[in-house]
């Protein structure tokens, strides 16, 4: 899961984009988020991960992405 400061570093071994309680919405309403690169290790993006991220324009996936699931809501 992502820590409270929501930093994701390149080469991270993060497995899921979720909050500390295992629920979705990890970046929910983060209006300052404009771009993000999903680490290759991420297998799951939980529901509503980017809901309300009104400035988000670019989502890219690190080379070798292991993404299997993007949950809907």
């Amino acid at each position: 899961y992502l820590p409270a400061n929501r930093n994701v570093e390149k080469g991270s071994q993060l497995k899921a984009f979720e909050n500390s309680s295992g629920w979705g919405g990890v970046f929910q309403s983060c209006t300052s988020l404009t771009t993000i690169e999903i680490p290759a290790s991420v297998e799951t993006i939980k529901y509503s991960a980017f809901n309300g991220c009104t400035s988000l324009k670019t989502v890219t996936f690190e080379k070798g992405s292991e993404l299997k699931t993007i949950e809907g809501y």
Side-chain angles (χ1 to χ4, degrees):
Y1 70 89
L2 291 176
N5 65 10
R6 300 180 187 177
N7 287 333
V8 180
E9 298 195 17
K10 195 167 181 110
S12 167
Q13 295 304 302
L14 188 68
K15 291 291 183 188
F17 269 26
E18 61 188 11
N19 63 26
S20 60
S21 61
W23 297 96
V26 70
F27 290 103
Q28 189 167 346
S29 300
C30 184
T31 57
S32 62
L33 183 64
T34 59
T35 185
I36 189 166
E37 180 177 42
I38 310 296
S41 62
V42 172
E43 296 176 351
T44 303
I45 297 176
K46 293 282 195 164
Y47 66 89
S48 297
F50 302 103
N51 185 44
C53 296
T54 55
S55 298
L56 183 61
K57 302 291 183 216
T58 306
V59 177
T60 57
F61 297 87
E62 188 176 17
K63 185 177 178 181
S65 176
E66 297 177 15
L67 186 66
K68 296 178 176 113
T69 304
I70 299 175
E71 293 182 356
Y73 192 70

